[in-house]
Amino acid sequence: MRVVFAGTPAPAVPALQALLDSGRHEVAAVITRPDAPAGRGRKLLRSPVGELADEHGIEVLTPARASEPDFLERLAELAPDCCPVVAYGALLREKALAIPKFGWVNLHFSLLPAWRGAAPVQAAIRHGDEITGASTFRLVRELDAGPVYGVVTEEVRATDTAGELLDRLAVSGAGLLAATLDGIEDGTLRAEEQPGDDVSYAPKVTVEDAKVDFAAPATAVDRLIRSVTPDPGAWALLRDERFKLGPVSVVEDELPPGEIRVERRRVLVGTGTSAVALGEVQAAGKKRMAATDWARGTRIEQGERLK
């Protein structure tokens, strides 16, 4: 099957690689977000998907908007049978959706209709889901509401960060996407409409969403921090200065919410239930370090609290 692949970040790379390795599907072109400035020098960088396409000599399309007439004209010229999509990051409207014969098939990192939206992996961890997964479905106008071709499941481990869980789903989801395209080409796979109940949404996680509320229960603090690791990164305030927090461990000790207790081998912070032991900490302008090193350098006073 002749395909045009749409995707942008690193979690989309395994899916593109799986299609390149499949031997069944011709990747005629790749659609990705425009090169963006990054790093201190603000140098324009190609997206991870764009880089892989460049390595294989595949045409790369980088429209600012997927509704641009020049882009739509080129997509029509490419005449794809199907357009697989993984975390492309731009809205696709009717004119684009109508071009491929078999439509656009999206790989989404949740078990639809659970966690439609931009941050399904983060939502699964934050809400304490024990099982999540990935789904392939046909794109329609409504957000992540199209009929589903297939799913794979994945256990959410007790220590998973969003980054770790997404890495696993990117690999298993890549296999699912390739198998979905195989089934569409063979005519052996039919999409099933999503049920109308049990729909939940996972909007994009902002920096403000990543602020830790130590008045919450310890389990909620733990889940929140893991759900925003590595991006955008959990944070709190000490002496009105922001610092980032890596994953924590729930312990049996009790402290008032936000109160810090520095011990020889660990740094505890109180929550609404039991305390948590801090892992790595990163103060503004500094590298990540063990919480005990951070506490010694910061000279935490007895009874001092995080805000």
Side-chain angles (χ1 to χ4, degrees):
M1 184 155 53
R2 182 175 172 85
V3 303
V4 172
F5 181 91
T8 298
V13 168
L16 175 56
Q17 188 65 62
L19 297 182
L20 293 171
D21 293 342
S22 72
R24 288 195 57 168
H25 308 293
E26 175 196 358
V27 181
V30 159
I31 309 166
T32 193
R33 298 295 293 151
D35 297 358
R40 292 185 178 181
R42 308 306 290 166
K43 180 180 178 182
L44 287 178
L45 294 180
R46 189 72 115 181
S47 75
V49 165
E51 286 185 346
L52 181 58
D54 289 339
E55 291 173 8
H56 287 266
I58 297 171
E59 180 179 354
V60 178
L61 307 176
T62 58
R65 294 180 179 84
S67 57
E68 292 177 356
D70 289 348
F71 164 71
L72 293 174
E73 181 180 352
R74 180 57 186 149
L75 184 60
E77 289 173 350
L78 288 165
D81 296 310
C82 185
C83 291
V85 190
V86 186
Y88 170 46
L91 185 64
L92 295 163
R93 299 190 181 277
E94 290 292 341
K95 288 184 178 180
L97 294 178
I99 290 175
K101 176 182 177 181
F102 295 107
W104 296 66
V105 176
N106 192 13
L107 172 64
H108 184 75
F109 298 117
S110 81
L111 298 177
L112 292 170
W115 305 130
R116 296 176 181 176
V121 174
Q122 293 92 329
I125 292 176
R126 188 170 63 251
H127 287 81
D129 293 356
E130 295 181 354
I131 298 293
T132 187
S135 307
T136 49
F137 70 97
R138 188 170 69 246
L139 277 183
V140 297
R141 291 185 63 182
E142 187 180 351
L143 178 66
D144 297 336
V148 174
Y149 286 103
V151 300
V152 291
T153 59
E154 181 73 38
E155 178 187 0
V156 183
R157 300 168 185 168
T159 59
D160 267 339
T161 65
E164 292 165 346
L165 180 55
L166 184 55
D167 284 347
R168 298 203 306 276
L169 287 170
V171 174
S172 60
L176 172 66
L177 181 61
T180 297
L181 296 187
D182 292 349
I184 292 173
E185 183 179 41
D186 295 339
T188 58
L189 191 59
R190 296 285 184 272
E192 300 289 340
E193 295 294 333
Q194 295 184 35
D197 51 2
D198 296 326
V199 176
S200 53
Y201 292 92
K204 181 179 179 179
V205 177
T206 67
V207 172
E208 191 59 32
D209 294 331
K211 183 179 181 180
V212 180
D213 176 12
F214 285 99
T219 53
V221 170
D222 166 50
R223 290 171 183 169
L224 171 67
I225 293 174
R226 289 188 291 111
S227 76
V228 296
T229 301
D231 184 60
W235 61 277
L237 293 174
L238 176 66
R239 303 167 191 166
D240 294 325
E241 292 188 2
R242 182 180 297 192
F243 68 97
K244 286 191 173 184
L245 296 164
V248 299
S249 302
V250 178
V251 297
E252 295 182 355
D253 304 59
E254 293 187 4
L255 288 170
E259 183 172 314
I260 308 170
R261 186 168 76 201
V262 180
E263 300 179 350
R264 182 179 178 184
R265 296 184 178 179
R266 61 181 187 172
V267 178
L268 305 183
V269 180
T271 74
T273 53
S274 62
V276 294
L278 300 186
E280 289 190 325
V281 176
Q282 184 176 12
K286 296 187 177 181
K287 296 180 179 180
R288 299 184 76 87
M289 63 184 74
T292 49
D293 295 333
W294 166 78
R296 282 193 294 269
T298 308
R299 297 182 180 179
I300 303 294
E301 298 178 4
Q302 188 69 25
E304 198 163 6
R305 295 194 180 193
L306 299 178
K307 296 182 181 179

